[in-house]
């Protein structure tokens, strides 16, 4: 981002208004990398492989690809166009275009707030693993066979204090960066480190798919088994696609607001979707076959802990594995940190721009309630039995572990709801004509404008409503 400095409105020699001229991305590739850096995060590496495995392998992948293409991409483009047209944060953007729709921005901010509270806990786990590898990666307290890695992880996350401290450290680091506003530096650093993550991940994939017995695991991951295809697959794929693309919560409004009118928005949105999906697929290939070989198909349902249990196994077999492990978790940490900072930053932008709070005050106002949520997420992994009510129309009120409720709340309810608001707003309130004019402002005409308008007006909302019917109505969804 380059800051164009202050714009002063001077009348009769007096400064009437001092506004910050909005920052802009220095280059389009910078924008694409920054947006991809925000999109590529724990979701790709920590959530995706588990969901592929639990959601039916190939059936899930096909579903995921279709959803990215026909729902994720059009909604991302809709969000970017709102941002570039209004040059505002989410809530402000809606308020400018139609004040009655400010609530939709509010949905986005609330979603980000909850995501941030568990993101920082998982970010803490990543830091712990960096420390583990720095100190020689000794898992022998849990035996010598391959189950020692999952035993180690299970023991760690169910401890009361240690994960909390790591989570707090991660959150403090984010706060430190955000308060000082050095996102510039982070952005520049992530331009080097994100390609690094990519190269390392590719290396791990090559290794993982050439292990003895990997073919079986690959088959498990890629084969399309119609028996495994059900509404749960679709629900999980949609929640995951939106989470991973950072769509449905207004991030792309903010990012779009920094894009100059000369750039081709549609192409950029396409690149972001492709990069993000590629990293997710590579993580799946790096992790799923290995878990299959070492722990068998029964282990596939274990969801979130995947990266923390499967990869140490891979590293333990590699020559120089301790170094690989350290490098991998370090890069995962960078991916998580860049994402987390942009989540926190968006919440803070809302408080400072809409309520005029100073940055530090806004940060404190956010972080104090956030810490309680984080603590609940962390402790409910096993240290304490914290249950929260969760409602759906089929099962009524159920009491589920707090961590599950938090993930369900964002993935199954709030993100689809936010995305629905974006579609309905762009499709029916602001109008796809206005939006496509904004997208075409760069002079690149969109030949598939009418198809896009159809997707935003009809297909995407219909898919999202069906999904909400399954999550809220029938109590399905995998997270
Ligand atoms: N997309 C990120 C990931 O895959 C997570 C995420 C969700 C996010 N919402 C966000 C990141 C908003 C930045 C901003 O991990």
């Amino acid at each position: 981002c380059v800051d164009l400095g202050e714009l002063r409105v001077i009348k009769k020699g007096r400064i009437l208004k001092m506004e910050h001229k909005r920052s802009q991305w220095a280059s389009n590739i910078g924008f694409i990398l920054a947006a991809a850096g925000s999109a590529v995060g724990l979701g790709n590496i920590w959530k995706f492989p588990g969901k592929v495995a639990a959601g039916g392998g190939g059936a899930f992948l096909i579903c995921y690809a279709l959803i990215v293409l026909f729902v994720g991409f059009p909604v991302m483009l809709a969000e970017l166009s709102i941002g570039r047209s209004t040059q505002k944060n989410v809530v402000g953007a809606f308020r400018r275009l139609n004040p009655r729709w400010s609530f939709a921005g509010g949905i986005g901010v609330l979603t980000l707030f909850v995501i941030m509270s568990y993101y920082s806990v998982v970010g803490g786990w990543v830091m712990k693993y960096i420390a583990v590898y720095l100190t020689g990666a000794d898992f022998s307290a849990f035996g010598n066979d391959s189950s020692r890695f999952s035993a180690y992880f299970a023991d760690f996350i169910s401890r009361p204090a240690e994960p909390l401290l790591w989570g707090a450290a991660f959150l403090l680091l984010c706060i430190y960066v955000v308060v000082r506003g050095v996102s510039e530096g982070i952005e520049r650093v992530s331009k080097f480190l994100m390609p690094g993550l990519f190269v390392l991940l590719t290396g791990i994939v090559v290794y993982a798919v050439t292990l003895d017995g990997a073919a079986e695991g690959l088959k498990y991951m890629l084969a399309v088994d119609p028996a495994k295809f059900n509404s749960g697959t679709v629900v999980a794929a949609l929640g995951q696609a939106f989470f991973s693309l950072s769509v449905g919560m207004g991030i792309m409004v903010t990012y779009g607001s920094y894009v100059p009118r000369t750039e081709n928005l549609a192409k950029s949105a396409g690149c972001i979707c492709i990069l993000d999906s590629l990293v997710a697929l590579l993580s799946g290939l790096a992790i799923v076959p290995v878990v299959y070989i070492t722990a068998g198909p029964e282990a596939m349902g274990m969801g979130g802990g995947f990266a923390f249990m499967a990869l140490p196994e891979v590293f333990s077999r590699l020559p120089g594995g301790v170094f690989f492990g350290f490098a991998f978790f370090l890069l995962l940490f960078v991916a998580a940190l860049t994402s987390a900072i942009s989540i926190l930053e968006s919440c803070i932008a809302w408080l400072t721009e809409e309520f005029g709070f100073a940055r530090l005050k806004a940060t404190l106002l956010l972080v104090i309630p956030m810490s309680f949520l984080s603590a609940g997420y962390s402790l409910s992994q096993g240290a304490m039995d914290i249950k929260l009510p969760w409602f759906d129309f089929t099962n009524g009120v159920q009491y589920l572990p707090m961590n599950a409720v938090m993930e369900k709340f964002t993935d199954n309810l709030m993100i689809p709801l936010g995305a629905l608001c974006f579609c309905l707003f762009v499709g029916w309130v602001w109008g796809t004509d206005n939006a496509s004019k904004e997208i075409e402002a760069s002079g690149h005409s969109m030949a598939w404008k009418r198809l896009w308008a159809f997707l935003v007006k009809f297909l995407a909302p219909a898919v999202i409503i069906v999904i909400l019917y399954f999550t809220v109505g029938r109590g399905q969804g995998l997270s």
Side-chain angles (χ1 to χ4, degrees):
C1 251
V2 273
D3 203 328
L4 296 179
E6 281 168 354
L7 180 78
R8 294 172 181 198
V9 181
I10 301 179
K11 203 174 166 192
K12 288 190 199 143
R14 275 193 329 179
I15 299 173
L16 281 186
K17 213 162 105 192
M18 223 193 298
E19 281 185 349
H20 234 71
K21 186 144 187 231
R22 249 187 126 67
S23 323
Q24 287 197 336
W25 303 109
S27 64
N28 205 40
I29 186 74
F31 156 58
I32 293 172
L33 281 178
S38 149
V40 173
L42 294 170
N44 303 62
I45 299 163
W46 160 68
K47 275 191 175 183
F48 184 83
K51 291 207 175 178
V52 178
F60 179 93
L61 288 176
I62 292 177
C63 213
Y64 186 83
L66 290 176
I67 284 178
V68 169
L69 187 64
F70 290 109
V71 187
F73 169 72
V75 180
M76 179 183 286
L77 196 51
E79 272 193 45
L80 286 171
S81 69
I82 297 180
R84 193 167 70 174
S85 162
T86 56
Q87 310 274 303
K88 289 252 181 256
N89 70 7
V90 220
V91 180
F94 275 106
R95 176 164 309 143
R96 166 164 301 181
L97 293 173
N98 187 328
R100 298 228 308 267
W101 279 75
S102 315
F103 76 91
I107 291 181
V109 173
L110 178 61
T111 313
L112 289 174
F113 178 80
V114 178
I115 290 179
M116 183 64 199
S117 11
Y118 66 78
Y119 217 81
S120 50
V121 175
V122 182
W125 299 350
V126 176
M127 285 172 74
K128 158 80 180 176
Y129 270 70
I130 293 178
V132 167
Y133 278 90
L134 263 182
T135 51
D138 181 11
F139 296 93
S140 59
F142 293 88
N144 280 323
D145 54 7
S146 57
S147 67
R148 68 186 183 280
F149 303 101
S150 22
Y152 185 93
F153 179 68
D155 174 69
F156 166 63
I157 57 168
S158 58
R159 282 191 208 154
E162 204 190 334
L164 275 184
L165 292 177
W166 286 107
F170 186 83
L171 191 58
L172 281 176
L173 217 62
C174 297
I175 295 171
Y176 175 77
V177 174
V178 169
V179 168
R180 301 197 41 198
V182 291
S183 60
E184 279 273 295
I186 277 281
E187 239 169 68
R188 223 169 284 149
V189 170
S190 64
K191 264 189 220 161
F192 292 104
L193 292 180
M194 294 309 289
L197 178 77
F198 197 77
V199 171
L200 196 63
L201 200 55
T202 313
I204 295 172
V205 170
V206 170
Y207 179 78
V209 300
T210 49
L211 284 175
D212 271 350
E216 277 302 300
L218 275 178
K219 223 162 87 197
Y220 181 90
M221 178 174 161
L222 299 173
V224 182
D225 180 356
K228 286 187 189 157
F229 186 83
N230 55 37
S231 55
T233 319
V234 190
V235 172
L238 187 103
Q240 172 64 21
F242 282 5
F243 182 91
S244 183
L245 296 170
S246 309
V247 150
M249 42 212 138
I251 284 294
M252 292 297 161
V253 172
T254 316
Y255 275 35
S257 72
Y258 304 133
V259 179
R261 287 241 151 74
T262 46
E263 298 301 343
N264 187 345
L265 268 191
K267 197 171 124 201
S268 313
C271 293
I272 301 167
C273 290
I274 290 173
L275 282 176
D276 187 67
S277 306
L278 203 61
V279 175
L281 186 68
L282 284 176
S283 314
L285 288 173
I287 294 177
V288 176
V290 179
V291 179
Y292 189 89
I293 300 169
T294 55
E298 317 77 52
M300 289 300 175
M302 64 194 179
F306 247 43
F308 297 92
M309 302 189 240
L311 285 174
E313 163 81 36
V314 183
F315 299 136
S316 74
R317 297 180 184 205
L318 274 176
V322 173
F323 173 74
F324 260 101
F326 167 71
F328 177 80
F329 282 105
L330 188 65
L331 292 171
L332 181 55
F333 169 73
V334 174
L337 192 67
T338 50
S339 298
I341 286 167
S342 65
I343 306 179
L344 193 59
E345 173 65 38
S346 316
C347 298
I348 288 174
W350 163 68
L351 281 176
T352 51
E353 287 182 32
E354 299 295 311
F355 298 93
F357 292 133
R359 270 186 96 70
L360 190 64
K361 188 169 167 200
T363 312
L364 289 178
L365 270 175
L366 271 175
V367 166
I368 293 168
M370 198 179 267
S371 312
F372 283 100
L373 271 186
S374 298
Y377 182 83
S378 180
L379 291 171
S380 57
Q381 302 284 342
M384 275 166 80
D385 190 25
I386 311 176
K387 295 243 163 80
L388 284 183
W390 179 253
F391 175 81
D392 66 69
F393 286 95
T394 302
N395 302 307
V397 178
Q398 283 172 292
Y399 285 83
L400 300 174
M402 182 162 170
N403 58 338
V405 171
M406 283 168 72
E407 287 180 44
K408 269 180 193 293
F409 179 73
T410 56
D411 295 14
N412 296 346
L413 179 68
M414 293 304 274
I415 296 179
L417 216 54
L420 184 63
C421 290
F422 282 110
C423 297
L424 294 180
F425 180 79
V426 171
W428 301 96
V429 181
W430 186 42
T432 44
D433 282 346
N434 281 329
S436 38
K437 257 186 226 130
E438 178 59 50
I439 297 168
E440 289 182 327
S442 57
H444 303 85
S445 72
M446 220 185 9
W448 34 276
K449 192 159 48 188
R450 303 210 9 226
L451 172 64
W452 178 73
F454 168 78
L455 294 175
V456 171
K457 275 180 154 163
F458 300 103
L459 187 86
V463 172
I464 298 171
I465 288 171
V466 170
I467 298 301
L468 285 170
Y469 166 77
F470 280 109
T471 54
V472 182
R474 304 276 297 273
Q476 290 186 4
L478 284 176
S479 74

